[in-house]
Amino acid sequence: MQGMMMQRPLLISDILTYAAEAFPKAEVVSARTEGDIHRTNYPEIRDRVGQLANALRAHGVQMGDRIATLAWNGYRHLELYYAISGIGAVCHTINPRLSAEQMIYIVNHAEDKVIFVDTTFVPILEALQSHFPADLTYVIMTDRAHMPDTKLPNALCYEELLAEQSSEIEWPLFDENTAAGLCYTSGTTGNPKGALYSHRSNVLHAMMISVTLSSTFGEGRKVLPVVPLFHVNAWGLPYAAPMSGLSLIFPGPAMDGPSLFKLMDSEEVYSAWGVPTIWMGLLAEIKAQGRKPKGFEDVVVGGSAAPRSMIETFEEMDISVGHAWGMTEMSPVGTHGTLPSTMKDAPFKERIDFKQTQGRRVFGVELKIVDDEGKTLPKDGEAVGELFVRGNAVVSGYFNNEEATAKALDADGWFGTGDVASISAEGILTIQDRAKDLIKSGGEWISSIDVENAAMSHPAIANCAAIGMPHPKWDERPVLVAIAAGDARPSVEEMHAHMSEHFAKWQLPDDIIWVEELPMTATGKVSKLNLRKQLADYVLPDLR
């Protein structure tokens, strides 16, 4: 017997329609490439999205067409999120930090029809334009007064495109499984792979994080997505924030510590979301200012493991840290580090111990770990295996890539993350490492994440990466590659003394290599692949 309830499709357009009606005073504040601060609200965004959707239709955009964006976090990019998907097309966000080869590949693989570009990134497209489809339409995201001279053929002006259209639109109804967004992995091995999100998955993901990341969401609060709109839906905030009545504060291109501090302070941002490298810059500015930004009480850290020292520093300033974990293929949030109510009064060390884990799964996501033969391992906090996931916002395959799909899924349809993890009886996930980044020494595994976290607690180290270097006897030995926080350069022996409380002697790094910068991936993580290439000629101290 089936229930007797109405069934309406879960569509992204309904989120904005609801926000404009329910939260008309909530703001969208953007630092623009034009150099000023722009202020609007959800009713005004709704009207402009209607104009943009009508403009897309007038230029021949059909359901299923891929419409690309190459843009910073701002109100125009938000408008594209809703207008493109609202008419049944696919919003393909492009990471401007990708290599030329990767960008050429994904624009052609996605078969984009139109590409919207911020003025900052016009030179990127000009340099690559000859490698793109000849009929690709370019729209520059500014007004006529700020339109740059460009070699892009027949480039259109965003604001003029909107001005020609009515804001009135009746949003079409279609199957909630219709594709809505496309985001490619950064392609650290092989070509980038496309995660094709649906209306259903994006709406459910917004609901999932609104419920489980409860420290952020509350009507009237202000949230700053430093995590970019060009990567994994800015962790779902463009949907979850309007749905919950939060104001969105967009940083535009200025994401250095001083710029973020100034914007957060002036707007009294309550919560900010981003990767650890961003928060290193903000913490340096907080130290320089001698205070935190006004109103700042909540930070969500993801993308890569947050160092324990970073979590402690935020918490000591009464800024609650939510350590989240996920992947492009998961929309992306899979677990959250919101402190359980039973731990609210726990000692500081115990609270930090929990927040250093990846936390508990969000509703709608299931987790399992397996051994080398694919056998499911117990959730006892001791067993360690490869992490597999499934859920309502997890990919069932890659866009137009059967070979990659076959490699990613097990026989039961679970997605293999490539992470090595343990899961406690209480369901707490601890990522031990990426499978390819574990260091195997003398037949025993060393977690590069653990080594990095311990090293980062030393005041002389601003950032670091631990990698395994070849050794004829031990297979690999750990080496720490570090950026100094100042003039001091601790010796290997000094670092051993600092880290020895947490490690056996054989787990400690054999050497420290001091560098000015670490190679980064397009998503703000340290690229250990490129780091290993840079150190191809390196020889360990006991082999010299």
Side-chain angles (χ1 to χ4, degrees):
M1 179 183 293
Q2 293 187 329
M4 298 176 62
M5 305 300 293
M6 293 183 185
Q7 188 167 4
R8 302 284 294 170
L10 299 173
L11 298 178
I12 290 170
S13 56
D14 288 335
I15 297 175
L16 184 58
T17 301
Y18 170 73
E21 177 184 321
F23 310 115
K25 301 298 184 183
E27 289 189 291
V28 177
V29 180
S30 307
R32 304 201 303 175
T33 57
E34 290 91 337
D36 60 350
I37 298 293
H38 180 274
R39 313 186 80 88
T40 184
N41 54 46
Y42 290 131
E44 291 174 357
I45 290 284
R46 174 200 57 199
D47 292 346
R48 283 173 56 86
V49 165
Q51 290 177 287
L52 179 55
N54 286 326
L56 291 170
R57 283 175 164 173
H59 281 77
V61 173
Q62 305 290 320
M63 280 195 65
D65 284 347
R66 273 73 72 195
I67 310 301
T69 71
L70 190 67
W72 297 109
N73 287 12
Y75 68 101
R76 292 185 180 117
H77 206 168
L78 183 69
E79 291 164 357
L80 285 161
Y81 260 64
Y82 283 93
I84 295 169
S85 62
I87 61 172
V90 180
C91 182
H92 171 207
T93 54
I94 299 177
N95 188 333
R97 299 172 185 143
L98 291 174
S99 68
E101 180 183 9
Q102 290 174 329
M103 196 173 294
I104 291 166
Y105 172 82
I106 66 173
V107 168
N108 285 282
H109 185 264
E111 298 179 318
D112 293 322
K113 302 295 184 184
V114 183
I115 184 164
F116 287 80
V117 58
D118 261 335
T119 54
T120 312
F121 302 127
V122 168
I124 294 177
L125 296 186
E126 289 177 332
L128 304 180
Q129 183 258 326
S130 62
H131 300 280
F132 294 155
D135 60 350
L136 185 63
T137 298
Y138 300 90
V139 182
I140 299 178
M141 297 165 63
T142 189
D143 54 28
R144 176 51 60 182
H146 294 90
M147 277 289 284
D149 292 330
T150 178
K151 299 175 185 176
L152 294 176
N154 304 313
L156 303 175
C157 172
Y158 185 94
E159 292 299 332
E160 290 180 348
L161 205 65
L162 268 66
E164 297 170 355
Q165 302 295 330
S166 167
S167 63
E168 295 295 320
I169 187 170
E170 185 173 343
W171 293 109
L173 293 178
F174 40 74
D175 191 308
E176 63 185 20
N177 294 298
T178 299
L182 179 61
C183 182
Y184 283 76
T185 64
S186 56
T188 53
T189 55
N191 287 323
K193 299 181 286 289
L196 187 63
Y197 312 117
S198 68
H199 283 257
R200 180 178 187 272
S201 69
N202 279 345
V203 171
L204 286 176
H205 182 269
M207 292 178 174
M208 287 154 51
I209 65 172
S210 299
V211 170
T212 50
L213 288 164
S214 55
S215 62
T216 295
F217 293 94
E219 181 182 352
R221 289 176 174 169
K222 297 180 179 181
V223 62
L224 176 82
V226 189
V227 53
L229 287 161
F230 59 67
H231 183 63
V232 206
N233 306 321
W235 298 353
L237 279 177
Y239 308 123
M243 185 184 288
S244 305
L246 272 67
S247 291
L248 281 163
I249 313 299
F250 288 129
M255 292 184 287
D256 58 283
S259 296
L260 287 176
F261 186 100
K262 181 180 178 181
L263 181 63
M264 293 171 69
D265 195 49
S266 62
E267 297 298 329
E268 298 189 23
V269 166
Y270 174 82
S271 179
W273 293 30
V275 298
T277 49
I278 288 291
W279 303 134
M280 290 175 189
L282 179 64
L283 285 172
E285 182 62 17
I286 288 174
K287 183 177 180 181
Q289 295 278 349
R291 65 180 180 90
K292 66 179 183 180
K294 286 181 290 185
F296 186 29
E297 296 184 24
D298 180 75
V299 62
V300 174
V301 187
S304 57
R308 184 184 184 92
S309 57
M310 176 180 291
I311 298 172
E312 289 175 337
T313 301
F314 275 126
E315 292 283 340
E316 287 166 354
M317 291 187 287
D318 293 323
I319 299 170
S320 176
V321 176
H323 198 186
W325 170 85
M327 301 181 71
T328 300
E329 293 88 345
M330 298 175 68
S331 299
V333 180
T335 67
H336 68 102
T338 303
L339 201 66
S341 60
T342 54
M343 294 188 69
K344 296 296 184 185
D345 297 321
F348 184 76
K349 181 182 181 301
E350 290 182 21
R351 299 200 307 271
I352 301 302
D353 286 345
F354 175 84
K355 292 200 172 192
Q356 199 174 1
T357 71
Q358 281 61 53
R360 298 166 290 172
R361 65 188 178 99
V362 299
F363 176 78
V365 173
E366 297 176 75
L367 312 171
K368 72 173 181 179
I369 50 174
V370 304
D371 62 17
D372 292 341
E373 283 73 46
K375 180 183 176 182
T376 301
L377 296 171
K379 297 179 180 179
D380 58 7
E382 300 293 330
V384 176
E386 183 179 356
L387 177 63
F388 280 73
V389 297
R390 70 179 179 187
N392 297 309
V394 179
V395 297
S396 59
Y398 289 110
F399 175 61
N400 283 349
N401 195 331
E402 292 182 5
E403 181 181 355
T405 296
K407 292 179 180 178
L409 303 175
D410 70 8
D412 297 318
W414 289 70
F415 177 81
T417 66
D419 283 325
V420 177
S422 62
I423 305 172
S424 75
E426 296 78 27
I428 298 169
L429 176 70
T430 301
I431 301 292
Q432 307 292 336
D433 217 332
R434 293 291 291 170
K436 62 180 180 292
D437 292 334
L438 282 168
I439 301 166
K440 192 170 190 178
S441 181
E444 299 291 338
W445 293 108
I446 302 171
S447 168
S448 65
I449 292 176
D450 287 347
V451 174
E452 289 158 3
N453 280 337
M456 282 289 291
S457 66
H458 195 290
I461 292 184
N463 199 4
C464 66
I467 59 174
M469 300 305 293
H471 192 282
K473 180 179 180 180
W474 304 113
D475 191 18
E476 288 183 323
R477 289 298 302 152
V479 169
L480 193 68
V481 186
I483 298 173
D487 295 330
R489 302 287 190 278
S491 66
V492 174
E493 292 75 21
E494 289 176 280
M495 288 305 300
H496 283 187
H498 177 76
M499 300 167 66
S500 60
E501 178 186 351
H502 306 287
F503 296 95
K505 185 176 180 180
W506 64 270
Q507 295 174 312
L508 293 167
D510 282 7
D511 197 9
I512 301 177
I513 302 170
W514 295 99
V515 296
E516 293 300 317
E517 61 181 8
L518 291 165
M520 308 298 285
T521 70
T523 54
K525 305 174 188 178
V526 175
S527 173
K528 294 187 178 179
L529 177 67
N530 287 331
L531 191 57
R532 292 187 187 98
K533 290 179 180 178
Q534 290 178 12
L535 298 176
D537 298 327
Y538 171 83
V539 178
L540 286 158
D542 69 335
L543 301 176
R544 293 170 188 168

